[in-house]
Amino acid sequence: PIVGGEQTGELEYGAIVALLTSQSGLCTGTVVTPRLILTAAHCIVGLPDLGGVTVYYGNDLQTDMRVDAVGYGSHPDFDPKGHEDIYDYVYVLLGTDFSPPDGFMLPITDQDEWDEAMQKGSVVTVVGFGEDPDATNPVTSLGVKRKVDTTITKFSAEGFEFFAGGNGHDSCQGDSGGPALIQLSNGSLRLA
């Protein structure tokens, strides 16, 4: 779950969606263009067919706010049995356009944005649909969009991956593939 956070407001983080799969269960993704979602490869890779991915919009898993994915693809170097997460991403394609009410969530666009925002101690906002460990029954809390602010704690030796969370502010089951958002000095949010 999002640990130590709170539910998102109405239409807040509209580009963050839930992905329900026939294999891995619930994951979270980010809509970056009208038909393209980014999420974690371990959520999608290995599905027997494309009918196994349903995308849910809104703040919870409402049945009237869903659409089936029409395609997906992962980085060719992703190894589901490996220990390196750098290639653990996948794109999911939608068959119809979707426009989030508060706009698309764009990834960091260049080295200058990375250098500005991605520092040890920088605040990141983690958003996801995972279970709430503080709920009476955490499993029944799955599927509600939550957010929490935390900080970048370190980078991998190569500098390609960052680590964030801990101290009761983190992500968990169902939040895989969800975004870590960073705010630039001009106020723009970026998918880190």
Side-chain angles (χ1 to χ4, degrees), residues 5 16 30 72 118 122 129 138 171 180 183:
I16 313 305
T30 306
Y72 62 85
M118 302 304 293
S122 292
F129 287 84
S171 62
Q183 188 170 24

Side-chain angles (χ1 to χ4, degrees), residues 3-4 39 44 46 48 61 66-68 71 100-101 107 121 125 128 135 154 166 169-170 180:
V3 179
T39 191
I44 305 293
L61 301 182
R66 70 177 187 192
V67 63
D68 289 333
T125 301
K154 67 178 181 174
H169 294 89
D170 215 329

Side-chain angles (χ1 to χ4, degrees), residues 124-139:
V124 294
T125 301
V126 182
V127 182
F129 287 84
E131 65 188 32
D132 180 357
D134 296 326
T136 305
N137 183 351
V139 174

Side-chain angles (χ1 to χ4, degrees), residues 32-97:
V32 294
T33 70
R35 294 190 182 204
L36 184 72
I37 297 169
L38 295 179
T39 191
H42 70 264
C43 293
I44 305 293
V45 170
L47 286 176
D49 59 27
L50 292 177
V53 181
T54 304
V55 178
Y56 290 83
Y57 304 100
N59 289 339
D60 54 36
L61 301 182
Q62 297 179 23
T63 56
D64 62 336
M65 295 181 69
R66 70 177 187 192
V67 63
D68 289 333
V70 297
Y72 62 85
S74 65
H75 192 285
D77 291 332
F78 173 66
D79 178 6
K81 295 178 182 159
H83 299 288
E84 193 171 15
D85 290 336
I86 189 169
Y87 302 114
D88 188 10
Y89 59 90
V90 69
Y91 65 87
V92 175
L93 296 175
L94 301 174
T96 57
D97 286 353

Side-chain angles (χ1 to χ4, degrees), residues 76-175:
D77 291 332
F78 173 66
D79 178 6
K81 295 178 182 159
H83 299 288
E84 193 171 15
D85 290 336
I86 189 169
Y87 302 114
D88 188 10
Y89 59 90
V90 69
Y91 65 87
V92 175
L93 296 175
L94 301 174
T96 57
D97 286 353
F98 171 71
S99 293
D102 54 349
F104 295 104
M105 198 61 61
L106 300 177
I108 290 175
T109 59
D110 59 32
Q111 190 65 47
D112 288 339
E113 286 186 357
W114 177 272
D115 292 344
E116 173 193 334
M118 302 304 293
Q119 306 290 326
K120 185 176 177 181
S122 292
V123 174
V124 294
T125 301
V126 182
V127 182
F129 287 84
E131 65 188 32
D132 180 357
D134 296 326
T136 305
N137 183 351
V139 174
T140 61
S141 71
L142 279 167
V144 175
K145 192 186 309 182
R146 294 179 180 83
K147 63 182 178 179
V148 69
D149 288 339
T150 188
T151 57
I152 296 174
T153 57
K154 67 178 181 174
F155 289 84
S156 64
E158 300 82 16
F160 295 131
E161 295 180 79
F162 68 92
F163 299 82
N167 297 321
H169 294 89
D170 215 329
S171 62
C172 196
Q173 300 295 334
D175 294 325

